[in-house]
Amino acid sequence: MLAQAAAEMLDWRGSGMGVMEMSHRGREFDEIFARTELRLRELLAVPAEFKILFMQGGAIAENAIVPMNLSRGGVTDHVVTGLWSIKTRQEALRYGEAHVVASNEADGAANHTTLPAPATWRLSANASYVHVCSNETINGVEMHELPDLRALGCDAPLVMDCSSHIGSRPIEWTRVGLAYAGAQKNIGPSGLTLVFVREDLLGHALPFCPSAFDYAVVAANGSMYNTPPTYSIYIAGLVFEWMAAQGGVAALEQRNIEKRRCCTTQSMARPSTPTASRARPARA
Ligand SMILES: Cc1ncc(COP(=O)(O)O)c(C=O)c1O
């Protein structure tokens, strides 16, 4: 993948230009972008009613961009399971009432190590969305299954930060309204943020939301309202080709499960390590 990028650095497929030199509106980059988006849609089986947005700012910027687009200035619900979901809720407080509906803060000796069962979440009747971090990178808590909000009697869309395990397993899209991920963990270089948003959630940005962060504007312009991070998108495209060649996301998930089994077995052999004390290994 990187060898291919190196080989193509000065001249992308006979175009006489490297990707960094291309106009994001030119024919060559159009081709790279279209293929990258298509591959991503295939790999994660993203349904047609979801737009895929290629944005910038990382997951931390999304902590502000999501409430600016979805909160309508009202109530948002937050499941707090570690450092990243704490930061998400803190940012959401700038835009409205951000309720903590469940938290694992008081987990006994080691904080943030378990997942509050969805049945115990105190969901608000009027929340515009429910936010979860599906893999708390630092605290090491992963949701192995996404909550079914409808089964909990909640109509609000689920919003998830899946930055640190995107691409490591399939996503249950029927349970999701919006998912976002910074690219730099599993997808490619930093600078690219992927946003998957259900079309019916577009068009409700708060008046002060910058146009470049208004999902409806970004979607209407095919992620080209402003210049997207072209080189990061190109490398992400190469990573998607590699993932497809490995057999796709389901095959990678199996491989990750094997790795996890192997790591757990090894750490169990040394019970004094912190990993061994975790109820569930978090990173795939
Ligand atoms: C789950 C999660 N959310 C948010 C972030 C922060 O992302 P960024 O630095 O891209 O804003 C990270 C780590 O980098 C993360 O692992």
Side-chain angles (χ1 to χ4, degrees), residues 106-219:
D107 261 359
N111 282 344
H112 301 302
T113 51
T114 60
L115 278 173
T120 67
W121 299 358
R122 298 174 307 278
L123 297 165
S124 313
N126 55 344
S128 47
Y129 62 84
V130 179
H131 183 280
V132 299
C133 177
S134 50
N135 192 36
E136 283 282 2
T137 326
I138 293 174
N139 304 90
V141 176
E142 180 177 17
M143 293 187 170
H144 288 226
E145 194 185 344
L146 295 179
D148 183 353
L149 293 183
R150 251 178 255 120
L152 297 172
C154 172
D155 286 333
L158 183 75
V159 171
M160 68 167 178
D161 174 358
C162 53
S163 295
S164 53
H165 67 167
I166 185 169
S168 69
R169 65 180 213 202
I171 293 178
E172 301 128 296
W173 292 107
T174 53
R175 297 187 176 186
V176 175
L178 184 147
Y180 62 89
Q184 69 271 18
K185 293 272 172 3
N186 285 0
I187 300 299
S190 58
L192 169 65
T193 317
L194 296 172
V195 177
F196 306 84
V197 56
R198 223 175 51 208
E199 272 168 352
D200 62 289
L201 300 176
L202 297 173
H204 304 290
L206 295 171
F208 53 77
C209 177
S211 309
F213 297 150
D214 181 332
Y215 292 142
V217 173
V218 179

Side-chain angles (χ1 to χ4, degrees), residues 263-284:
C263 290
T264 309
T265 312
Q266 285 184 10
S267 63
M268 291 304 272
R270 293 183 291 130
S272 58
T273 62
T275 324
S277 69
R278 293 260 159 86
R280 314 185 85 179
R283 293 194 72 171

